[in-house]
Amino acid sequence: MICESTTAVPITVAYQAFLDELTDAGLLTSLGVPGVYGYSGVFEHVLESFDLLTTRRVPHAQAEVMRFPGLLSREHYLKTSQMENFPDLMGSIHSFTGREREHMAMLGKRDRGEDWTQDLTPSALMLTPACCYQMYPTATGTLPAGGRTFDLRSPVFRHEPSIDPCRTQVFRQREFVRLGNPDEALQHRGTWLALGKDILNEVGLNVEIIPANDPFFGRAGRVMASAQKEQELKHEIIIAVSSEEKPTAIASTNYHLDYFGNAFDIKSSDGATAHSACIGFGLERVTLALFKHHGLDPDYWPSEVKNALGL
Ligand code: ZN
């Protein structure tokens, strides 16, 4: 048996300590379920200021701006392989569609403490697992020469309850996505890896870029994860936030090859299946990193950081 050093703080202790610190400062309010919080005015002001900073740094004059509700059509969801790869993270919206008799039966089950959720019917909606998923179905068809670039923002859902304040079940993503030929997608990824790091450095976050993989499910998932890492399709921009030992990805880039082009029948101008790449900033995570590294009161942050954010 390997004994860990007695001085090492268990990671859950570090998570709980950071969560308590944020809650005591009034920045976060627990909503009774792990990974779901209300955020204060101060928190929101910092989050929106960072979001605006990325807008000021966007190099693409032609980026098409779209803001999404965080909901994905069930039909579109089924065109992706989310259910194969991340069944444990999914969120499906159900509602009641019965009549009075079924209503009374459901209320009876609730009152007796029985399972009433079986009386619900799936709606046409899923919660979106990533911001860009809502855009691809709108781009079906042939792209203009040079492809298309999108500036997106949306809440996203991932069912992974945790006490780490950085791992929430619902969070806001700001994304910049390129659809085009392989060169265009790769160029976008390269530009944004460097630019993403620059923007985060500008606000005093000394981040690192690492090759990464998504948390694919099950045994087959392990093969998918190592292939993704080997081909360097995903990179994370990381920094220590909730714990020193396990840094947090506050942004990531993904090169999807022709995965979404195939799923949603998107062609580049030469008729080939389109490739895509995106960078996503986790807005709550960036904001938490700012509070962690500069202190819980933005009034006392270094002036360079306040100036960059326009605080
Ligand atoms: Zn994306």
Side-chain angles (χ1 to χ4, degrees):
M1 191 178 146
I2 299 164
C3 293
E4 286 186 5
S5 153
T6 49
T7 54
V9 180
I11 205 151
T12 49
V13 173
Y15 290 161
Q16 189 66 53
F18 188 40
L19 180 56
D20 290 345
E21 213 184 322
L22 294 161
T23 309
D24 291 347
L27 293 166
L28 259 62
T29 303
S30 173
L31 297 182
V33 173
V36 187
Y37 306 103
Y39 297 96
S40 75
V42 173
F43 188 98
E44 286 299 298
H45 186 50
V46 172
L47 183 145
E48 294 299 342
S49 301
F50 178 78
D51 192 52
L52 280 174
L53 171 63
T54 62
T55 303
R56 290 197 292 274
R57 293 291 177 274
V58 174
H60 342 276
Q62 311 302 328
E64 299 171 50
V65 176
M66 288 176 132
R67 297 293 178 257
F68 293 120
L71 302 171
L72 192 61
S73 130
R74 190 175 296 272
E75 190 191 325
H76 293 154
Y77 179 86
L78 290 173
K79 290 186 176 181
T80 73
S81 52
Q82 274 289 307
M83 201 190 283
E84 281 93 324
N85 295 331
F86 310 101
D88 49 339
L89 301 184
M90 80 164 112
S92 173
I93 300 182
H94 296 236
S95 191
F96 177 73
T97 55
R99 308 183 68 121
E100 267 187 311
R101 195 155 57 100
E102 291 85 10
H103 182 211
M104 293 314 290
M106 181 170 72
L107 290 175
K109 287 181 187 174
R110 180 199 63 179
D111 294 345
R112 292 188 298 275
E114 295 169 10
D115 181 13
W116 51 270
T117 61
Q118 301 295 327
D119 294 26
L120 301 180
T121 311
S123 73
L125 294 168
M126 299 287 290
L127 296 169
T128 197
C131 181
C132 60
Y133 276 56
Q134 296 160 103
M135 177 275 292
Y136 301 113
T138 72
T140 296
T142 303
L143 300 167
R148 290 172 76 180
T149 306
F150 296 88
D151 166 344
L152 311 175
R153 182 173 152 171
S154 168
V156 308
F157 175 83
R158 293 183 194 167
H159 179 248
E160 43 183 0
S162 164
I163 58 162
D164 175 2
C166 288
R167 188 168 297 284
T168 56
Q169 299 201 57
V170 61
F171 56 97
R172 287 162 278 184
Q173 265 183 353
R174 180 79 188 271
E175 276 208 28
F176 299 94
V177 191
R178 175 87 154 166
L179 277 171
N181 63 32
D183 285 347
E184 288 160 349
L186 277 168
Q187 191 194 33
H188 180 81
R189 197 261 304 261
T191 301
W192 268 106
L193 259 183
L195 186 57
K197 188 172 187 225
D198 276 358
I199 294 172
L200 292 162
N201 286 341
E202 200 182 335
V203 293
L205 298 177
N206 192 14
V207 293
E208 199 189 323
I209 295 173
I210 57 159
N213 59 265
D214 287 310
F216 290 94
F217 185 79
R219 202 173 302 161
R222 281 201 286 278
V223 180
M224 303 279 289
S226 63
Q228 189 186 30
K229 209 165 184 176
E230 237 161 63
Q231 297 177 67
E232 298 199 11
L233 299 179
K234 184 182 185 76
H235 291 85
E236 289 179 342
I237 303 183
I238 61 167
I239 188 167
V241 185
S242 299
S243 105
E244 284 298 323
E245 301 88 69
K246 202 167 176 287
T248 298
I250 57 175
S252 67
T253 61
N254 281 281
Y255 174 35
H256 317 109
L257 302 166
D258 59 359
Y259 173 79
F260 288 107
N262 263 319
F264 295 104
D265 199 17
I266 308 165
K267 306 261 186 256
S268 53
S269 56
D270 60 5
T273 303
H275 282 227
S276 60
C278 68
I279 183 166
F281 292 92
L283 293 177
E284 282 84 354
R285 285 187 175 186
V286 171
T287 307
L288 289 167
L290 289 167
F291 282 108
K292 179 72 184 186
H293 288 267
H294 304 314
L296 297 180
D297 186 347
D299 284 350
Y300 297 98
W301 287 3
S303 53
E304 318 84 79
V305 175
K306 287 204 278 187
N307 289 340
L309 290 168
L311 292 176

